[in-house]
Amino acid sequence: MADQLHRSPLIAAGLLMGAGLGGFVDGIVLHQMLQWHNMLSNQLPPDTLVAAKVNMFWDGVFHAAVWVMTVIGLRMLWSVGGRADVPWSGRTFGGALLLGWGLFNVVEGIIDHQLLQLHHVQEYATNKLPWDLAFLGFGGLLLVAGWALIRAGRHDTASRGTV
């Protein structure tokens, strides 16, 4: 029976949801609660009302994008729930969530923080690089943990309703 099971739809749903939820953690905690940075704060410091409004707009675009990713992932998960060939595995799904969050951190950290220099994790620190590297390191840990959980769940064969 395990040869007929397909884990990839569950993993794909978890990846999208994990990336979206990881983006929400970034946006809510780092952008809004701690106010360490905004989407464009390295390019356009929010030191005037206009600059703050521009940054807030792009933070909103960012939140809309991660919301869409999360909703698509949720829709994919809903579809997976109707498939008898996809095993329900908390380890596989949880691993995919962590993997998605880790991918978000690594991709966003490399592109936005390093390549495009749109913002840094702690925009107001004297030395921004340690904060950026810590963000990437945390993303790497999430990738390793997610991969390990997915590997641990590779033999899970519980069908729907037997979680």
Side-chain angles (χ1 to χ4, degrees):
M1 180 173 167
D3 294 336
Q4 300 168 346
L5 297 176
H6 301 95
R7 296 178 325 127
S8 57
L10 184 62
I11 293 170
L15 282 172
L16 265 179
M17 288 181 70
L21 294 172
F24 275 126
V25 169
D26 178 293
I28 293 166
V29 175
L30 300 180
H31 292 222
Q32 294 175 327
M33 293 172 71
L34 296 175
Q35 298 178 18
W36 282 1
H37 66 259
N38 298 101
M39 221 31 226
L40 303 176
S41 55
N42 189 52
Q43 299 296 313
L44 182 64
D47 51 7
T48 68
L49 182 58
V50 171
K53 288 176 79 97
V54 170
N55 270 284
M56 191 179 301
F57 171 80
W58 286 104
D59 282 354
V61 170
F62 168 75
H63 277 106
V66 297
W67 182 83
V68 167
M69 274 196 292
T70 304
V71 168
I72 292 171
L74 185 58
R75 174 63 180 100
M76 291 169 67
L77 182 63
W78 183 266
S79 294
V80 167
R83 293 183 54 176
D85 65 326
V86 179
W88 279 104
S89 168
R91 293 186 295 183
T92 299
F93 183 66
L97 286 172
L98 292 178
L99 198 62
W101 185 0
L103 282 170
F104 167 83
N105 275 25
V106 170
V107 169
E108 203 254 345
I110 290 171
I111 293 173
D112 289 348
H113 303 168
Q114 302 307 311
L115 296 178
L116 299 178
Q117 301 272 316
L118 295 178
H119 64 263
H120 298 281
V121 173
Q122 179 37 294
E123 198 65 59
Y124 309 105
T126 305
N127 188 356
K128 298 170 177 65
L129 186 60
W131 293 93
D132 291 350
L133 292 176
F135 187 83
L136 286 170
F138 180 62
L141 289 174
L142 290 170
L143 289 173
V144 170
W147 178 81
L149 273 173
I150 289 171
R151 295 257 317 149
R154 71 185 180 275
H155 298 296
D156 293 350
T157 58
S159 61
R160 291 173 302 166
T162 61
V163 178

